[in-house]
Amino acid sequence: MELGLKGKVAIITGSSKGIGLETALHLVKEGARVTICARNGENLREAATRIFNETGIEVHSIETDVTIEEDCKRLVTSTVEKYGRLDILVNNAGTSAANPFEEVGTDLWQQDLDLKLFGAIHCSRYALPYMREAGGGSIVNVTAQAAKTPPASSLPTTVSRAAGMALTKAMSKDLGPDNIRVNTLCIGLIRSDQVEKKWKKEAPELTWEQFSKEAGNDIPLGRIGNTDEAANVILFLVSNAASYVTGTSINIDGGLAGAL
Ligand SMILES: NC(=O)c1ccc[n+]([C@@H]2O[C@H](COP(=O)([O-])OP(=O)(O)OC[C@H]3O[C@@H](n4cnc5c(N)ncnc54)[C@H](OP(=O)(O)O)[C@@H]3O)[C@@H](O)[C@H]2O)c1
């Protein structure tokens, strides 16, 4: 299948590790020119080095905090200065924040919305004029399957993620005429630093496979997913193979979600 990503320019937020880093690697291997970003400069440099070691290609990396609007603007303008265009934006930066309603104060609500909602809004707003100039583009908002059927003690994250899904749908309607597609990836449980920390803290006697199987008791496919499995779907969504796909969400959760 021809993905049509060669020469395309992509920004992936939160790409010093996890799903973001894996997505950057996939895009670089398909011939895209990529900007990676995160707050921690050391992790970012390590990520760039890993990509170079695996592909022989240098990525553009910019220390960015997507909760700061000026940083989002700089991320976009610096990418366009470096590569001359912009075609793809993956709004992936995020952290887990799941608590009972009464334990979430105003500050935490604000922080989570700044990160997961406004981060995506600001990056998208600055990216759009360049996507129009390029004749179209693709935005993927990485969210969470729990936003569709929020369980107890899942705040503020499920609310911020549900807002991200509404943002995706509304933006897809506005931007379709400009050939800019907007989709959402709804993540279930994917192997990440946080999941690994939980494994090492709670069950260090188990191998990863054993831990993954136990944690996957409620997951129809019976295990935690890999970053590669999320990155593959992002790659599809931003590629020409998904040229008629917009305003939709795809669960990457091994069947965990109770909603389509
Ligand atoms: N893994 C899962 O099971 C799971 C489940 C549901 C949803 N998700 C969502 O999927 C996305 C990727 O998850 P992951 O597990 O790959 O995460 P991860 O391994 O924890 O990586 C998160 C990335 O985001 C960056 N980041 C965090 N806050 C940022 C900020 N304010 N500005 C810029 N970058 C920031 C981090 O770097 P710095 O800290 O250096 O900034 C890091 O590069 C996240 O949005 C996450 O919430 C994941």
Side-chain angles (χ1 to χ4, degrees):
M1 192 185 342
E2 178 49 51
L3 295 178
L5 291 166
K6 202 166 171 16
K8 292 278 168 74
V9 175
I11 295 173
I12 302 143
T13 70
S15 37
S16 62
K17 44 190 181 167
I19 295 166
L21 172 55
E22 198 65 41
T23 303
L25 263 165
H26 278 52
L27 281 164
V28 168
K29 285 177 186 169
E30 288 296 329
R33 293 169 288 167
V34 171
T35 294
I36 61 170
C37 78
R39 291 165 303 174
N40 183 303
E42 203 180 317
N43 291 345
L44 201 54
R45 280 186 287 282
E46 273 176 28
T49 304
R50 186 179 149 201
I51 294 171
F52 182 76
N53 289 342
E54 286 192 30
T55 64
I57 290 164
E58 277 182 18
V59 289
H60 187 40
S61 44
I62 306 172
E63 280 178 43
T64 306
D65 182 342
V66 298
T67 67
I68 300 170
E69 181 173 352
E70 202 49 41
D71 274 22
C72 299
K73 184 178 181 185
R74 193 168 46 88
L75 174 68
V76 170
T77 51
S78 154
T79 299
V80 175
E81 271 165 31
K82 168 91 179 162
Y83 295 127
R85 60 185 288 148
L86 180 61
D87 308 279
I88 293 164
L89 170 66
V90 181
N91 287 310
N92 167 75
T95 52
S96 80
N99 307 278
F101 176 72
E102 286 176 290
E103 286 177 21
V104 185
T106 306
D107 287 355
L108 184 52
W109 276 110
Q110 193 62 57
Q111 276 168 27
D112 206 60
L113 285 163
D114 283 346
L115 173 60
K116 295 169 184 167
L117 181 61
F118 285 100
I121 289 173
H122 294 318
C123 289
S124 301
R125 277 188 33 223
Y126 288 110
L128 286 176
Y130 298 108
M131 289 187 174
R132 278 201 189 92
E133 216 174 286
S138 175
I139 298 174
V140 172
N141 294 321
V142 176
T143 67
Q145 61 82 25
K148 292 184 177 178
T149 50
S153 303
S154 65
L155 301 166
T157 199
T158 47
V159 171
S160 307
R161 293 316 196 177
M165 284 170 40
L167 176 73
T168 299
K169 183 50 104 179
M171 281 178 67
S172 74
K173 301 274 188 195
D174 282 350
L175 300 170
D178 294 320
N179 193 31
I180 297 170
R181 298 181 297 103
V182 192
N183 291 291
T184 292
L185 201 70
C186 292
I187 307 282
L189 196 53
I190 294 285
R191 185 172 184 170
S192 63
D193 273 13
Q194 272 178 44
V195 176
E196 291 207 0
K197 271 185 206 142
K198 193 168 161 41
W199 161 40
K200 284 169 189 161
K201 188 172 164 213
E202 291 176 10
E205 71 288 359
L206 301 182
T207 63
W208 169 258
E209 284 68 28
Q210 289 166 331
F211 175 77
S212 168
K213 202 167 168 221
E214 280 197 9
N217 266 342
D218 297 332
I219 302 174
L221 291 184
R223 62 175 175 83
I224 294 170
N226 301 316
T227 50
D228 187 49
E229 292 172 306
N232 279 335
V233 182
I234 296 176
L235 200 70
F236 164 71
L237 285 174
V238 301
S239 77
N240 283 353
S243 53
Y244 202 53
V245 181
T246 193
T248 197
S249 69
I250 300 183
N251 296 341
I252 307 296
D253 67 348
L256 177 64
L260 284 172

